Amino acid sequence: MSTSDGKDPLRPGTRITHAGRRPEWTGRVVNPPVWRGSTHLYESEAERKAVTNGTSDGQFFYGRRGAPTQWALAEALTEIEPGAFGTVLYPSGVAAIAGCLLAILRPGDHLLMIDNAYDPTRNMATGLLKRLGVTHSFFDPLDLAGFENLVAEKAPRAVWFESPGSLTMEVCDVPAMASIARAAKAVTLIDNTWASGLGFAALNHGCDITMQSLSKHVGGHSDLMMGSASAGERWYKALRRTSHELGQVVSPDDAALAARGLRTMKIRLEQETKSALKIARWLEAQAQVDEVLCPILPGAPGHDLWKRDFTGGCGLFSFVLKSASSDASGPLADALKLFGIGYSWGGFESLVLPIYPDKHRSVMNAPTQGGAKPAVRLSIGLEDPDDLIADLEQALGQLDN
Ligand SMILES: Cc1ncc(COP(=O)(O)O)c(C=O)c1O
């Protein structure tokens, strides 16, 4: 029995437990072992020619094409991504973003990019792609009519989404925008790191390619860097080709760590989402807090679209302070004892980051939400949420209002 995307009908929690296990690759071990090796020796010249001429996955070729540890991870990610035919792994999330865009765009093409995209993604449009002769425009995630006009005016080859967007967490209407883009023959890509395929089935909501930083939820333990892109057959093949051309490969050690993290990702995400909601609710009621930018919070900006389109969330959200001091977010971060100040998110430990979104916007009122007030982003980990609330309470209490 299989679903319309050819996958078995098991629920995600069951799929994620068994996905990517192939006895013909790794024997009967439960978790794929670390399989090192650059060079594979062929039985004969005839076998070498047969493998080298082929383009199918899961065959020993040379270390740069990976080995069972990487194949198992890629296959597991494909199995839990509704609508995917295959997944390409990259050495970081940013490498995945570059790999996706370079697979699609050619000199003379136009790229439409969401204005609240992760800053290095924006820099790719304004830097690397510009140098290669690709032009770009940024669009406001909350302006559907403006988006439609821009698509008609610019005839883009590709549209890049990220939802919720970085730092200010706006949720855009991906199905509506993707259908406008596709009608204009643009390729639709999304950075789906926040929700992962478990929380937002991007390919089933109109995207052609879904990309993730695996350094976040999949790794889950703040000890590896990796990215991925999953797609249906046509775009998967384009991604794979460009990745081979660029010589992209991930280490087997990191692939084994990511595969281990993947097994517990669903329960970690569920716990972090539950804790984030409790903390967001508490923050909303605090006198020092102006606005909580957390789409999983009922009544918060983006919640209605999140509820309509998503099946899960994560522990990442932001909040805006009322403080008259424009730099109050730094002292707040310093006053927190349980939240480390650091980049990244999605690990088991909570983090805080003062944010300045107005530096990373081109067309939106920056920041769209909260005005030009100090703000921080929290990544809620697996600590007891009541301890995190107590920490936030003491830190907020130290702010001069
Ligand atoms: C939304 C988003 N996408 C992509 C990335 C890049 O991933 P990586 O750090 O693995 O290169 C990040 C990193 O913070 C991110 O926040």
Side-chain angles (χ1 to χ4, degrees), residues 359-371:
K359 296 198 171 115
H360 312 291
R361 303 287 184 258
S362 299
V363 295
M364 294 157 68
N365 287 332
T368 17
Q369 303 178 136

Side-chain angles (χ1 to χ4, degrees), residues 90-97 116-121 160 162 164-167 191-194 211-216 224-227 316 343-345 377:
Y90 300 85
S92 70
V94 166
I97 296 163
N116 54 1
Y118 178 53
D119 197 35
T121 315
W160 185 273
E162 183 182 322
S166 276
L167 308 180
D191 181 336
N192 199 29
T193 305
W194 186 87
M211 165 271 147
Q212 290 180 72
S213 163
L214 306 184
S215 322
K216 313 290 186 287
L224 69 93
M225 299 296 297
M226 203 180 292
L316 190 79
Y343 288 119
S344 204
W345 42 279
R377 184 182 75 178

Side-chain angles (χ1 to χ4, degrees), residues 128-192:
L128 174 76
L129 294 171
K130 191 173 173 197
R131 293 198 296 277
L132 295 176
V134 175
T135 54
H136 65 271
S137 313
F138 290 105
F139 65 91
D140 185 332
L142 304 177
D143 181 2
L144 188 58
F147 177 78
E148 191 160 19
N149 291 339
L150 211 51
V151 169
E153 185 196 333
K154 302 285 182 184
R157 165 73 176 148
V159 177
W160 185 273
F161 297 106
E162 183 182 322
S163 182
S166 276
L167 308 180
T168 40
M169 313 296 297
E170 296 85 358
V171 181
C172 73
D173 192 340
V174 172
M177 288 180 162
S179 110
I180 293 167
R182 275 181 159 183
K185 301 211 171 356
V187 185
T188 50
L189 306 99
I190 187 166
D191 181 336
N192 199 29

